[in-house]
Amino acid sequence: EVQLVESGGGLVQPGGSLRLSCAASGFTFSSSWMSWVRQAPRKGLEWVATIKQDGSVTYYVDSVKGRFSISRDNAKNSVYLQMSSLRAEDTAVYYCARTSSNNWAASPSYDWGQGTLVTVSS
Amino acid sequence: DIVMTQSPDSLAVSLGERATINCKSSQSVFYSSNNKNYLAWYQQKPGQPPKLLISWASTRESGVPDRFSGSGSGTDFTLTISSLQAEDVAVYYCQQYHSPPPFTFGPGTKVDIK
């Protein structure tokens, strides 16, 4: 059974930083692209970032480019989202998702974690 | 970037009746090289993460009831629930994953029981 468990969320002041983690199990982590998707309170879903199996390719939504960084550690079956210069509009539940297992990022998100809440407020 | 729209914003359907949700992309998400539409449908129930229902516009995921079906091609897509059940109350999102990213979602359609 695929399990994705996010952690690291919490309350942070505007301009601050936070690092989210996602621990994966139940599938061959090193063979999968991984993504982060967020959902602001009472709002829809927004794709945030995606990383290739070996970490060599990453993609970001424009609104987080230069502020967020996705990375992974295949030895620990974990993917991370380093968030800096946080803004109120970054407040959301952040979901980790398993995506493609081929050479291309173009894939639906097959499995999702329960999410971790990030609140940016003074 | 590809913009996704959905209609209606919400709908209420009687138990056992058909529910139809439309999704439109601002440009085609069809790849002629592999004859695939890069379009997925997700279901999100309150307090839960999204669940993938349909990928490649019409491929039902394992374990998804066959009352859910997806259709369409190019820029216009439809999710149909043929006979609405109480457990289908949720918000439904479409997403395009046509390269390159961003892989944008539609705004969602809320389905309730009439």
Side-chain angles (χ1 to χ4, degrees), chain A residues 53-65:
Chain A
Q53 292 94 331
D54 62 0
S56 62
V57 177
T58 57
Y59 298 103
Y60 300 92
V61 67
D62 281 350
S63 60
V64 309
K65 281 180 183 175

Side-chain angles (χ1 to χ4, degrees), chain A residues 35 37 39 43-47 50 59-62 95 104-115, chain B residues 1 38 40 42 44 47-52 55-56 61 93 95 97-99 101-107:
Chain A
S35 297
V37 176
Q39 186 169 34
K43 298 294 187 183
L45 301 168
E46 180 181 39
W47 171 85
T50 292
Y59 298 103
Y60 300 92
V61 67
D62 281 350
Y95 295 103
W104 315 109
S107 165
S109 291
Y110 292 99
D111 300 285
W112 300 64
Q114 290 296 313
Chain B
D1 296 352
Y38 284 57
Y42 300 87
Q44 188 177 32
Q48 296 186 18
K51 173 187 175 182
L52 178 64
S55 58
W56 311 108
E61 293 300 303
Y93 296 92
Q95 182 201 23
Y97 46 94
H98 188 281
S99 282
F103 299 141
T104 44
F105 289 87

